Amino acid sequence: MSHVTSLDDPTTDPFDVARAAAAYIAEATGVPTHDVALVLGSGWGGAADLLGETVAELPSHKVPGFSKPAVVGHVGTIRSIRIGGSLGAPAKHALVLGSRTHLYEGRGVRRVVHGVRTAAAAGASTIVLTNGCGGLNPAWAPGTPVLISDHINLTATSPLEGATFVDLTDLYSSRLRAIARRVDASLDEGVYVQFPGPHYETPAEVQMAGRIGGDLVGMSTSLEAIAARHAGLEVLGISLVTNLAAGISPVPLSHAEVLEAGAAAGPRISALLAEIVRHL
């Protein structure tokens, strides 16, 4: 049975596929366990080069349950990176997931959270979820990184199946956010609202998001965060504001704008993220 069929088959345990993926990664990289995992969204890809020494880089579609990225600007690889280890300090290993599946791709929520579950199966205790998003606060110019303090899931779905009840209090770890602010005290935080996409939100939807407590709008992250909590991972979420949201921005939204803002902010936010991860 192929990995595609196994994740799509409702009788298959998705955690079995995650364990198979973790075993494949361990064998292919020579790293038996990883300590921290990162999902790098739009604008954040350069952080992988700054974390440390790349031990191995794998095409994501070769790993059980993973596919090639469907979005321009996303990297189709999984990397094992060695962090530190000099001056007697033990080295850590980071698993960098450059290939993210979005709900709007129509591949099912199991695929959306497969990377998170694989990270847990690979031994990670912490995961950093990043994204590019629209901002509701006019003070957050394109290129502003914002810590995620909480989320509102408007996708009408969950990665959890059956009678699986998980407490989401402090889902986005206050401890990890405090570490991030020690690295950069200027970091703001806000509530991320996930819409299903792939179309951008209407101005009325953006107004609704603000009225129910949202500060950031996008099409990823919350489902991954829920799955991460269920898998026992501590979560740090960071958004890159790539544009002002619809109705707040004076110009129409475009994916090209997202890519341009990410590219412009890339060196700065990548260095910030690498420094944060070294302190986790």
Side-chain angles (χ1 to χ4, degrees), residues 168-191:
L168 300 183
T169 304
D170 196 29
L171 171 57
Y172 298 91
S173 168
S174 56
R175 185 185 76 86
L176 296 182
R177 280 185 279 137
I179 291 173
R181 280 192 295 269
R182 284 201 292 272
V183 173
D184 183 349
S186 72
L187 283 169
D188 272 342
E189 64 181 37
V191 175

Side-chain angles (χ1 to χ4, degrees), residues 83-188:
I83 302 173
S86 59
L87 302 177
K92 295 190 296 184
H93 286 90
L95 186 66
V96 179
L97 303 166
S99 183
R100 170 183 255 156
T101 298
H102 295 78
L103 187 64
Y104 57 71
E105 295 173 34
R107 298 176 179 177
V109 71
R110 284 183 169 189
R111 286 186 175 277
V112 172
V113 301
H114 178 59
V116 167
R117 288 171 172 163
T118 296
S125 58
T126 303
I127 190 162
V128 182
L129 301 175
T130 67
N131 61 60
C133 72
L136 276 67
N137 185 341
W140 293 340
T144 302
V146 179
L147 297 172
I148 300 175
S149 59
D150 204 344
H151 79 231
I152 299 170
N153 173 16
L154 296 183
T155 67
T157 190
S158 170
L160 309 183
E161 302 174 21
T164 306
F165 306 111
V166 176
D167 177 28
L168 300 183
T169 304
D170 196 29
L171 171 57
Y172 298 91
S173 168
S174 56
R175 185 185 76 86
L176 296 182
R177 280 185 279 137
I179 291 173
R181 280 192 295 269
R182 284 201 292 272
V183 173
D184 183 349
S186 72
L187 283 169
D188 272 342

Side-chain angles (χ1 to χ4, degrees), residues 39-264:
V39 178
L40 299 181
S42 297
W44 295 96
D49 296 326
L50 302 177
L51 285 170
E53 175 193 356
T54 296
V55 176
E57 187 168 10
L58 314 174
S60 56
H61 64 278
K62 300 270 183 151
V63 181
F66 287 87
S67 307
K68 292 181 179 179
V71 180
V72 174
H74 287 249
V75 181
T77 62
I78 294 173
R79 291 168 70 170
S80 176
I81 297 178
R82 186 175 185 269
I83 302 173
S86 59
L87 302 177
K92 295 190 296 184
H93 286 90
L95 186 66
V96 179
L97 303 166
S99 183
R100 170 183 255 156
T101 298
H102 295 78
L103 187 64
Y104 57 71
E105 295 173 34
R107 298 176 179 177
V109 71
R110 284 183 169 189
R111 286 186 175 277
V112 172
V113 301
H114 178 59
V116 167
R117 288 171 172 163
T118 296
S125 58
T126 303
I127 190 162
V128 182
L129 301 175
T130 67
N131 61 60
C133 72
L136 276 67
N137 185 341
W140 293 340
T144 302
V146 179
L147 297 172
I148 300 175
S149 59
D150 204 344
H151 79 231
I152 299 170
N153 173 16
L154 296 183
T155 67
T157 190
S158 170
L160 309 183
E161 302 174 21
T164 306
F165 306 111
V166 176
D167 177 28
L168 300 183
T169 304
D170 196 29
L171 171 57
Y172 298 91
S173 168
S174 56
R175 185 185 76 86
L176 296 182
R177 280 185 279 137
I179 291 173
R181 280 192 295 269
R182 284 201 292 272
V183 173
D184 183 349
S186 72
L187 283 169
D188 272 342
E189 64 181 37
V191 175
Y192 180 87
V193 183
Q194 181 177 353
F195 286 83
H199 53 275
Y200 291 112
E201 305 77 23
T202 68
E205 288 169 338
V206 169
Q207 288 182 29
M208 176 193 72
R211 287 172 181 169
I212 63 176
D215 303 291
L216 308 157
V217 292
M219 306 174 194
S220 67
T221 305
S222 19
L223 296 175
E224 294 164 325
I226 295 167
R229 167 56 62 88
H230 179 233
L233 295 168
E234 191 174 11
V235 178
L236 176 65
I238 313 179
S239 290
L240 170 66
V241 176
T242 56
N243 55 273
L244 293 176
I248 298 173
S249 171
V251 297
L253 305 184
S254 72
H255 188 56
E257 179 187 15
V258 171
L259 295 178
E260 288 169 9

